[in-house]
């Protein structure tokens, strides 16, 4: 079931960078994955724009969306960089803090009860994780270090038949950073994943074999 106009409106009103057509593709993948009854997991939450879509799919299926973010902003969101938003800086500590805005986003969308928000760094959380998930959405830091750690940390937790979704995949370096593209290629070259769909920079892959 596609998102309702209210959910789409909440998505468009939320701070973030994902365009609507990619969001619809994410929601479609999340809806399919949620039918397994397994949690849907997002790495890189920012202010919760994409979380709305995962949570809505989880709500419809009676499962849960889990988000993982340290909420201090990725490298390109720091002062002096292209995607910096000064309204998200905590005036007390002088650092980015997207957690309050994220919580307001979920409240406005009426989806707080369908999300578990983990505040921490992705590799640390992945090392302690024990539950299989039906979907892994990687949209965290875009350096090779961070993208690789997210892929290596979370791909092994994806259940057979589950979906790996990677955002900001740009084959042409002129269009964007290459780290997400490199983990996308790595997933395909591993033989453990097959491609399901391409929607601009959003790639959906299905786990068809063990390994990562």
């Amino acid at each position: 079931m596609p998102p309702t106009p209210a959910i789409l409106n909440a998505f468009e009103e939320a701070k973030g960078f994902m365009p609507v057509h990619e969001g619809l593709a994410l929601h479609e993948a999340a809806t399919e994955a949620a039918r397994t009854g397994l949690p849907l997991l997002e790495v890189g939450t920012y202010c919760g724009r994409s979380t709305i879509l995962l949570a809505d799919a989880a709500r419809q299926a009676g499962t849960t969306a889990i988000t993982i973010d340290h909420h201090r902003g990725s490298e390109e969101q720091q002062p002096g960089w292209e995607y910096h938003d000064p309204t998200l800086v905590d005036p007390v500590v002088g650092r980015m803090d997207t957690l309050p805005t994220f919580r307001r986003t979920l409240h406005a969308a009426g989806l707080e009860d369908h999300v578990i928000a983990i505040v921490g760094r992705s590799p640390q959380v992945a090392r302690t994780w024990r539950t299989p998930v039906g979907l892994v959405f990687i949209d965290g830091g875009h350096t090779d270090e961070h993208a690789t750690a997210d892929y290596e940390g979370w791909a092994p937790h994806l259940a057979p038949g589950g979906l790996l979704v990677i955002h900001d995949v740009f084959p042409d370096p002129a269009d964007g950073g290459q780290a997400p593209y490199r983990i996308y290629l790595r997933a395909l070259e591993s033989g453990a994943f097959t491609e399901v769909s391409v929607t601009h920079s959003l790639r959906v892959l299905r786990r068809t074999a063990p390994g990562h």
Side-chain angles (χ1 to χ4, degrees), residues 65-106:
I66 298 165
T67 74
I68 298 164
D69 199 308
H70 48 67
H71 287 281
R72 292 301 189 191
S74 58
E75 58 281 346
E76 68 269 22
Q77 292 157 5
Q78 303 308 314
W81 290 80
E82 180 180 1
Y83 293 104
H84 178 62
D85 183 343
T87 68
L88 298 174
V89 174
D90 182 332
V92 176
V93 302
R95 297 182 64 192
M96 292 281 291
D97 186 359
T98 57
L99 183 58
T101 304
F102 165 66
R103 296 198 68 176
R104 288 193 290 270
T105 296
L106 290 185

Side-chain angles (χ1 to χ4, degrees), residues 7-123:
I7 291 295
L8 270 182
N9 182 66
F11 168 78
E12 293 187 82
E13 289 293 320
K15 283 181 180 286
F17 311 104
M18 178 176 280
V20 172
H21 64 296
E22 291 184 342
L24 291 173
L26 174 63
H27 188 273
E28 182 179 356
T31 299
E32 177 188 334
R35 294 191 190 109
T36 65
L38 295 172
L40 312 176
L41 188 137
E42 173 181 62
V43 182
T45 309
Y46 191 51
C47 295
R49 185 176 171 97
S50 56
T51 312
I52 289 173
L53 302 176
L54 298 181
D56 182 59
R59 176 190 58 79
Q60 292 183 41
T63 186
T64 303
I66 298 165
T67 74
I68 298 164
D69 199 308
H70 48 67
H71 287 281
R72 292 301 189 191
S74 58
E75 58 281 346
E76 68 269 22
Q77 292 157 5
Q78 303 308 314
W81 290 80
E82 180 180 1
Y83 293 104
H84 178 62
D85 183 343
T87 68
L88 298 174
V89 174
D90 182 332
V92 176
V93 302
R95 297 182 64 192
M96 292 281 291
D97 186 359
T98 57
L99 183 58
T101 304
F102 165 66
R103 296 198 68 176
R104 288 193 290 270
T105 296
L106 290 185
H107 176 76
L111 292 167
E112 287 181 291
D113 292 343
H114 305 283
V115 177
I116 297 172
I118 299 175
V119 180
R121 296 190 176 275
S122 167

Side-chain angles (χ1 to χ4, degrees), residues 25-36 38-41 54 133-138 154-155 157-166 193-197 203-208:
L26 174 63
H27 188 273
E28 182 179 356
T31 299
E32 177 188 334
R35 294 191 190 109
T36 65
L38 295 172
L40 312 176
L41 188 137
L54 298 181
V133 296
L135 177 142
V136 170
F137 174 44
I138 297 179
W154 291 106
H157 297 296
L158 191 59
L163 298 178
L164 173 65
V165 185
I166 305 174
F193 295 92
T194 57
E195 190 163 79
V196 174
S197 68
R203 301 293 192 273
V204 179
L205 309 177
R206 187 183 310 280
R207 175 180 280 289
T208 54

